[in-house]
Amino acid sequence: MDYESSLDRAMENVPDIGGEEQRLDIPDPQPQKDGAFTRFRNMGEIADVLDREAEHLHRFVQRELGTSGKFEDGRGRYNGNFSQQDFGAAIDAYVDEYVLCSECGLPDTRLVREDRTPMLRCDACGAFRPVTKRSTSQQQHQQRDAVEEGQTYTVEITGTGRKGDGVAEKGKYTIFVPGAQEGDVVEIYIKNISGNLAFARKA
């Protein structure tokens, strides 16, 4: 069999995999206040979309929120008052850790165990990586690294953007600061945030 025939045959066996945005449409979390608790009404539905066990998702959300809770009938219930944004941030963290492939970025993955180590194996590109639970100290570190609009922070400028703006890193955010130079330590005011990008001015 010549090379082209072998290539054609291989391509026929490659699964038809679209882009991540087309294939992973996660519903918005539906919180419901219940006295001292907050219910996560559509947790089971979201777990189905992610192709993960709802109990596994529940345990992660519980740990991410730093509270106690229980899961039953497709719903999570958590001690405390939590918003749609709180649940959404926990789901995003879960997707990054337990769903998306770190190599190709697609959600075509499976949780498997190899030598007692939980692994995330990608059916799209064949990559696999170990999955490790984040400790409470890591979660607290992430909270300290949160960036909010209208707040001021002291940051070190570690790079320069394409337009000459100073660039700083804080947690998962890349912050652009006009007029700042690499090596500067400046106080900044966050004007707006778009995804993992933040745009600031010198305070």
Side-chain angles (χ1 to χ4, degrees), residues 4 37 55 70 79 90-91 124 137 150 160 162 180 183 190-191:
E4 290 187 359
F37 301 90
E55 284 278 5
K70 66 178 181 178
N79 189 9
I91 295 299
S137 62
T160 304
R162 287 183 298 175
I190 303 296
K191 297 190 297 182

Side-chain angles (χ1 to χ4, degrees), residues 8-9 29 49 62 78 80 84 86 140 159 165 198:
D8 289 341
R9 183 176 179 183
V49 170
Q62 180 175 265
Y78 305 93
Q84 183 182 72
D86 293 328
Q140 292 171 345
D165 297 340

Side-chain angles (χ1 to χ4, degrees), residues 9 20 40 42 59 62 67-68 70 80 85 90 95 99 104 112 115 121 132 158 175 191 199:
R9 183 176 179 183
E20 172 189 337
F40 191 158
N42 60 335
R59 289 194 297 271
Q62 180 175 265
T67 188
S68 59
K70 66 178 181 178
Q85 290 73 24
V95 169
V99 180
C104 70
V112 298
D115 297 327
R121 181 175 292 278
T132 55
T158 57
I175 307 172
K191 297 190 297 182
F199 303 89

Side-chain angles (χ1 to χ4, degrees), residues 12 43 51 55 80 90 95 127 134 145 167 171 181 187:
E12 288 175 359
M43 171 170 279
D51 194 24
E55 284 278 5
V95 169
R134 288 178 293 173
D145 285 341
V167 177
Q181 302 294 321
E187 186 174 1

Side-chain angles (χ1 to χ4, degrees), residues 115-178:
D115 297 327
R116 298 184 179 181
T117 300
M119 306 286 290
L120 193 68
R121 181 175 292 278
C122 182
D123 293 330
C125 71
F128 64 97
R129 61 174 171 83
V131 176
T132 55
K133 294 180 179 180
R134 288 178 293 173
S135 65
T136 301
S137 62
Q138 287 176 307
Q139 294 174 33
Q140 292 171 345
H141 180 73
Q142 287 185 338
Q143 292 171 356
R144 288 196 302 270
D145 285 341
V147 171
E148 297 181 6
E149 291 183 4
Q151 298 297 315
T152 57
Y153 304 93
T154 300
V155 298
E156 179 182 0
I157 305 301
T158 57
T160 304
R162 287 183 298 175
K163 296 182 180 180
D165 297 340
V167 177
E169 303 287 340
K170 183 172 174 60
K172 66 179 183 179
Y173 294 96
T174 299
I175 307 172
F176 295 92
V177 188

Side-chain angles (χ1 to χ4, degrees), residues 8-57:
D8 289 341
R9 183 176 179 183
M11 290 302 292
E12 288 175 359
N13 292 326
V14 172
D16 184 15
I17 298 173
E20 172 189 337
E21 295 299 326
Q22 297 175 336
R23 305 189 66 257
L24 195 60
D25 187 12
I26 305 173
D28 291 332
Q30 297 175 0
Q32 181 183 38
K33 185 65 177 170
D34 180 16
F37 301 90
T38 306
R39 295 184 184 274
F40 191 158
R41 298 174 54 196
N42 60 335
M43 171 170 279
E45 178 187 354
I46 291 177
D48 288 342
V49 170
L50 300 178
D51 194 24
R52 294 294 183 266
E53 293 289 338
E55 284 278 5
H56 186 263
L57 176 59

